[in-house]
Structures are given as structure tokens and as C-alpha cells.
Amino acid sequence: MDERCENGRESEGSESLAESPFIEDRDSVSLTLGEPLLRASTARISTTSQLAIVGSNICPIESLDYEIIENDLFKQDWRSRRKVEIFQYVILKWTLCLFIGLITGVVGFFNNIAVENIAGHKLLLTNNLMLKEKYYQAFAVYVGSNIVLAAAAATLCAYIAPAAAGSGIPEVKAYLNGIDAYSILAPSTLFVKIFGSIFAVAGGFVVGKEGPMVHTGACIASLLGQGGSRKYRLTWKWLRYFKNDRDRRDLITCGAGAGVAAAFRAPVGGVLFALEEAASWWRSALLWRTFFTTAVVAVVLRGFMEFCRGGKCGLFGEGGLIMFEIHTENSAYGTPDLIAIILLGVIGGVLGSLYNYLVDKVLRTYSIINERGPGSKLILVVGVSILTTCVSFGLPWFSQCLPCPSDLDDQCPTVGRSGNYKNFQCPPGHYNDLASLFFNTNDDAIRSLLTSASDKHFQLSSLFIFFGAIYCLGIITYGIAVPSGLFIPVILAGASYGRIIGRLFGSVATLDVSLYALLGAASFLGGTMRMTVSLCVILLELTNNLLMLPLLMLVLLISKSVADIFNKGVYDQIVKMKGLPFMEAHAEPFMRQLVAGGVASGPLITFSGIEKVDNIIHALKTTNHNGFPVIDELPSSDSSELCGLVLRSHLLVLLKEKKFTKKKVSIRSEILRHFKAHDFAKAGSGKGVKLEDLNFNEEEMEMFVDLHPVTNTSPYTVVESMSLAKAAILFHALGLRHLLVVPKTPGRPPIAGILTRHDFMPEHILGLYPHLNPHK
């Protein structure tokens, strides 16, 4: 486990839980608010910062600064910026989007080649031994290969980058909402996400590589958007423009869309996924850049596919880059089909909500095991791998052998290569339909389920067994310390029961069972993930069947509506379980009963416009606040005025350069000459100035520093009598980190409090006002 996460890194959240006057029992509140999956013993690691689970690791979290800091240095920078520099900035944004698309496309292609070849050789060797009736040797090879691959994936996740475990979509979604955590998008996380996903998928786990590809795309975008690095001597002048959270947020949104496009070969679906599920803020300019990025991914993948058609990529073939083309002569449907589709939607909603509920329980159980250290994570992964292997190898023995279709172009049974007609224990000229599903890559298994009934026949008993196994294995696999996506397990289970419904309605239905399998996959996706538009387009791009659009829309709407009755979508649920303080676009109903002044955190620590160095150092050492109000005394009266807000990171940079004065006088012009705006830009990967790096003698501690040039003179403010619901909507819409609360009546201090993300969390508010009804 990472030392910074294990010991509890100092949070840069603007208000410390330890100092809040509203909280009496710090340990119990910390557990309730930030760590719903953690036990009380772990909660006491850090009582001054909020913690959350990132991947399979416990880390402190902090907010991102999406607000434009309008201080004197920023204004000077914009006044001095020439038109050519603005043009360079715009061109560079598009260039970075191009690189994100190119790199994500290459990584997606590499993932597919690696999975297809590793899994293909493993399955080929096992299948050849089965054909020779060396069943024990085949099982030994099969289980041994899976354990080695599983252990490799778990070792990477447990010891190198715990943040890479899981899907990664909840973490990316939280980041785009304004939540940051150590190593969430680090280079080590990217490395482990790529290779851990390859080993996990090739190792036979019921997981997909699609969710990890979203996280991979976001990591690539984050690295490109760091704005340069002095460590690696990448300090190109133009890159400094991207050293802020706003531009990095936009690039990561493009990266998330590119990840979906690379995983599904669905460029439009990638844009819509980023819009519907990932991003919390959207605008037309971002739409164009995301669309451009996903288009680049599609072109890259298409080029590689053409290159691999001649067998130049080993066992890489049709199954690598997903494209489930459904060829059926009849796409017309009647009343019995509509009844069956409505039934599919209801079943998908019920099964999807149950799936989310069970995933919740499994994650809570696994969190206790994962807390015990990397060794426990590794043992859990190996245990699940052995169980999955035994299920996939043992269940096909209970299936009957079927005769090979006579008019089949493909070889049946498959001999000498990885194929879709597995002989298993069957006599010559027969295949085992259940083994054809289990002894294949997940992509090829989906392709088999979406095959027309005239091309491939599955027994109802085999479909029931496969559905039950995939449903249960998908639940117990998600949450172990390997990169794991939910899309593929959900599609597999949904296509299974969709094909079952198609068989049951076969005598009265018009649609082919392959189309019912597609609609079943859509219903289960809608029931678990609660997305509609993006899932509809992704499935259309996957299957290349536009005639299914009305039916896909219908089944997605029904399944989502039914599932919403019981619980939230799986990603929203996981975000909450991990303790990530996600800001919703809407306010909770009970917030209308409260005012901003009644929730604002305190007591406040303020600075004068020209402040003593000793006071600043003391405030930085004794608090974890990220923002401090700056107040100026009016010379002609005893009253004071709010000058603005100064950030902790800006104070550290200013103190490091030691631009001090012995008397309390302004040196604004000297500071403007010495500093540039990019000197205060956010450092990449947490490499900024630390308080521990600063050393001052006694004389310097008694000197003064002018804070006016680095103070944001136009922070967002609300009056203390504003309803909390209205303040929450404003906070989310503007992507703020601090919202200053000012008094309504004169004659009082110019600021009454500060609202941060933590202050809008329902758990925190209900802790302050337990008499409130959370549903009213």
C-alpha cells in the first residue's frame, strides 16, 4: 500500500473536520462521512482529513480548483498575452486531443492483441489436451495458467498501484466532479491499469477491459495535460498554459470518451458516455474536442484492424476489437415481440437492481479483507480465480453434446485453433454448447450468444446454467484487487437471459433469438448502469443494426425506470460506498429548510492584506485549510472590508521566495515584477511546494509579506440568508471549491463563513440538524 495513502496525507480541503465547532465526536463523524466501507480502527488513521477508497486503497481526498483565480498576477498575464500566444493555446488544445486519441487507440489495440493471444494460447493448449482425452492434464494447465495470470494482475495492483483496482469509472467520474486523490491518475496507475487488465481478462475472470479503458484514457489525458515537468525537462513554454484544473478537466473528459471509443469501437457512443455519465460540466467547445478525440481513436483502430486481417497479429482476429454484427433476414416485430420486450425490460430492471445490491454487499465484505494488506488482496484474487476456473471447467460436463450444423462455414468441432465450437468431452462431429461459451474469450462468448438460431443452437439448460454462473461470478469478482470492468459481465448475463426469452417466445415471436439476446443485454445494462442514450448508441455501433433503435430505446427506458424504484446506478452507488463526496446537480429537498449561514464551517482564520510571516506559518501548520479570507482594515474607520481569498498553494510559493519587508508596507509592484502567473500554476502530480520545505530564521518570522498581488479579489460570495439548496446549485454549476458567505446586516465582520464541498454533503448536514427529515 502506498505510504502516503496508508499514513493519511495532509488534505488540502479548505475546512478541517478536527476544528469544526459543530462536531464533537471526530472519529465517529469521520467514519460516517468519508469512509462508509472502512472500519472504525482504520478511521482513526487520520482525523483531520476526509478519506475515501480509491481502487482498493484508502487515501485522503481533496477538491480541485476549477475557479479562475483573478488576482493581480493573473490580470497582468492576460493583459500581456499576445494574439499569437492565444492562438498557440487553442492549437495546442486540439493537438493534445489528437495525441490523446492516438495514444488511447494504440493502447486499446495493444490490450486486444495481448488478451486475444494470451487467452488464445491458453485455451488452445487446454482444448488440444481435451481432444486427446487428457482431462486431468488439461485442467492442470487451465487452472495453472489462470492462477499465474491472476497473481500477476493482483501483484501489480496490490504492491505498485492499488488505485488501479476495479473499474476506474467511479474514480474518473468523481475526478470530473471536482474530487482528487493521490495517484488516481498517476503514471503507475496507468501502467498497472493496462497490464493488470490484460492479465485479469486473459486469466479467465468474469471482467471486461472496457471500464479500465475509460480509466486508461483519463490517465493518458492527465499525463499529457500536466503542463510539462521539470524532472523530465519537459518545460516547453506553451505547456504552462495547461497547469490548471480547468484545462486538465476538459482533457480528461476527452480521455474518458476516447477510452469508450477504444473499448467498443464506438466513437459517438464515447462522446455520449462522457456527456451522460462521466462529466459534471459540459459545453459545446468540449463536445467538439471530445468528438474529434474519439474520431481519431476510430481511425487508429480501423487502421490496425486492416493491418491484422492477414493474420499478422497472431491469434488476434474477429474477437479482438469488438464488433458484433447481427445478420438476420427479418427485423420486423409484432405484438408478441413487444410483450416479450416489455418483459425483458422489467426483468432487466429487477435483476439489475439486485445485481447492484449484491455488489454493494460484496464490496463491503471485500473492504475488510483488503484492509489487511497486499497479501490478503493477493490471496483473495487467487481464491476467486480458482473458483472461476473450477466453475468454467466443471459446468460443461453437465451439458449434452450437440451435432455440428451441416451448412456451417466454420470448422466444427474446432481443432488446432481457438474457435467457437468446442468439442470438450463430445464425440467427433459434435460440440458442447456450454463449453463453447465458457472456453472462449468474453468477446467471442458474446458473439456466440448474438449468433442467429439458424447458425448456432443453444440448449435452454445451458443458457440457464451460463446465466446463473456469469451473474454470480460477476458479482463476486468485482471488488478484488485487479482492474475489472462491469460492461462485459453485464452484457454476457443479459444476452443469456435475452436468448432464453427469445426461445420461450419462439413459437409466437417474429424476431430472431439473436435480437432478443441483444435486447436482453441492453435491458441488463440499463438496469445496472442506468444510462440510456449512450448505451443505446454504443449497442447500435457494436451491432451495426440501426433497425433495432426503437426497440433498444424502449427496453432501456423500461429497465432504467424499474430499477430506479429500488436503488441507484452501480457507478453512483460505488461512488457513495467509496466515500467520495460527489456533488449532485440538484439539491436535496431538506436543504430548502436551511440557510447558507447555518451550515458554513468555522471558526474562520483570516489574514490581513499585509500579514506577519509568523502568523501565516502558524495558520498553515495548525490547519489544513486550502483557502484563507483576506481582510483589509479601512483607514478612515474601525470597520474592515473583504479583500478576497488567498490559496494555500499560493502562500507557499510566495513564502518560498521570501519577498518580505521589515515594516507593514505594500510592495505590490515589486512582487508583480518578480513573479509571473505561471509561477503559481498547479504543479503536476503533487510536486508543489510543501510547508516542510520552508525554513525561516527568527528575524524573517517577524517580517511582513504583501498578500494583495496573489489574492483572488473576486471570489464567489452568497449572502448568509440564501437557502442552502440555492447555494448548492450555484456551487455545483460553477465548479467551485470555496463559496464565501457574507453577512446580511452591516456592522459585522465582512465574512461570516466559507462553504466547501463537505458542507453540502447530506450526511454532514443531517449530523448538524438531526431533526430534519431527509426526504422532505
Side-chain angles (χ1 to χ4, degrees), residues 391-392 394-403 420 422 424-426 431-439 445 448-449 456-471 492-493 495-501 503-504:
V391 169
S392 60
L395 289 180
W397 290 92
F398 298 98
S399 179
Q400 297 178 357
C401 296
L402 299 175
N420 294 326
K422 301 297 183 182
F424 208 65
Q425 87 289 12
C426 295
Y431 71 97
N432 186 316
D433 59 341
L434 196 52
S436 299
L437 294 173
F438 277 119
F439 270 74
S448 295
L449 289 169
K456 192 163 188 178
H457 177 73
F458 289 99
Q459 301 173 92
L460 275 176
S461 59
S462 297
L463 291 173
F464 274 110
I465 292 172
F466 185 73
F467 165 71
I470 293 298
Y471 192 90
L492 277 170
S496 301
Y497 73 72
R499 199 168 180 105
I500 292 173
I501 295 295
R503 287 283 302 277
L504 295 177

Side-chain angles (χ1 to χ4, degrees), residues 140-178:
V141 169
Y142 190 52
V143 71
S145 302
N146 286 347
I147 289 175
V148 170
L149 291 169
T155 301
L156 289 174
C157 274
Y159 292 96
I160 298 179
S167 168
I169 292 179
E171 284 82 0
V172 172
K173 184 175 180 177
Y175 184 93
L176 294 177
N177 188 256

Side-chain angles (χ1 to χ4, degrees), residues 86-349:
I86 297 174
F87 178 75
Q88 290 170 351
Y89 169 69
V90 174
I91 292 297
L92 189 57
K93 281 199 291 190
W94 287 93
T95 304
L96 289 177
C97 289
L98 173 65
F99 286 144
I100 292 170
L102 289 173
I103 298 173
T104 305
V106 172
V107 170
F109 171 74
F110 171 73
N111 279 9
N112 281 286
I113 283 186
V115 169
E116 288 293 312
N117 283 277
I118 295 173
H121 281 101
K122 176 193 72 176
L123 295 170
L124 181 60
L125 180 56
T126 305
N127 192 43
N128 288 339
L129 291 171
M130 292 293 293
L131 290 172
K132 298 175 183 178
E133 299 185 0
K134 297 180 179 179
Y135 301 132
Y136 292 107
Q137 294 181 25
F139 177 73
V141 169
Y142 190 52
V143 71
S145 302
N146 286 347
I147 289 175
V148 170
L149 291 169
T155 301
L156 289 174
C157 274
Y159 292 96
I160 298 179
S167 168
I169 292 179
E171 284 82 0
V172 172
K173 184 175 180 177
Y175 184 93
L176 294 177
N177 188 256
I179 304 167
D180 194 13
Y182 177 73
S183 77
I184 192 172
L185 299 171
S188 59
T189 303
L190 172 62
F191 172 81
V192 173
K193 205 74 181 184
I194 294 172
F195 289 96
S197 177
I198 291 171
F199 295 147
V201 177
F205 283 118
V206 184
V207 297
K209 52 186 179 293
E210 287 67 32
M213 271 306 305
V214 175
H215 197 179
T216 298
C219 289
I220 292 170
S222 175
L223 293 178
L224 290 176
Q226 290 281 354
S229 171
R230 293 180 181 177
K231 179 180 178 181
Y232 299 105
R233 298 183 180 180
L234 295 174
T235 53
W236 190 24
K237 181 180 179 182
W238 295 354
L239 287 174
R240 62 189 167 94
Y241 297 139
F242 293 90
K243 287 191 175 182
N244 62 83
D245 289 329
R246 290 171 62 86
D247 283 318
R248 287 183 65 190
R249 175 191 69 189
D250 290 350
L251 290 174
I252 289 168
T253 302
C254 294
V260 174
F264 291 109
R265 274 184 61 204
V268 180
V271 176
L272 294 175
F273 175 86
L275 169 61
E276 183 178 6
E277 183 65 17
S280 294
W281 294 278
W282 197 262
R283 60 186 190 279
S284 58
L286 183 57
L287 175 69
W288 277 102
R289 287 202 295 275
T290 308
F291 184 71
F292 171 71
T293 307
T294 58
V296 171
V297 173
V299 171
V300 170
L301 293 180
R302 186 67 183 177
F304 279 122
M305 285 186 67
E306 291 296 329
F307 173 77
C308 289
R309 282 195 191 278
K312 301 176 182 178
C313 303
L315 295 176
F316 179 84
E318 292 290 334
L321 290 166
I322 308 174
M323 190 58 145
F324 309 123
E325 294 196 30
I326 298 179
H327 301 287
T328 178
E329 297 178 357
N330 186 14
S331 296
Y333 47 89
T335 302
D337 295 296
L338 291 176
I339 295 174
I341 290 166
I342 293 172
L343 178 62
L344 270 178
V346 174
I347 292 174

Side-chain angles (χ1 to χ4, degrees), residues 2 16 63 80 256 349 379 529 544 554 572 674 690-691 746:
D2 191 282
S16 169
S63 296
S80 62
I379 293 172
M529 300 179 184
N544 197 23
L554 177 63
D572 294 326
H674 181 80
K690 300 292 188 296
L691 183 61

Side-chain angles (χ1 to χ4, degrees), residues 609-623:
I610 302 174
E611 186 60 79
K612 184 181 289 188
V613 174
D614 181 55
N615 294 340
I616 299 176
I617 295 297
H618 176 74
L620 295 178
K621 284 183 176 179
T622 56
T623 72

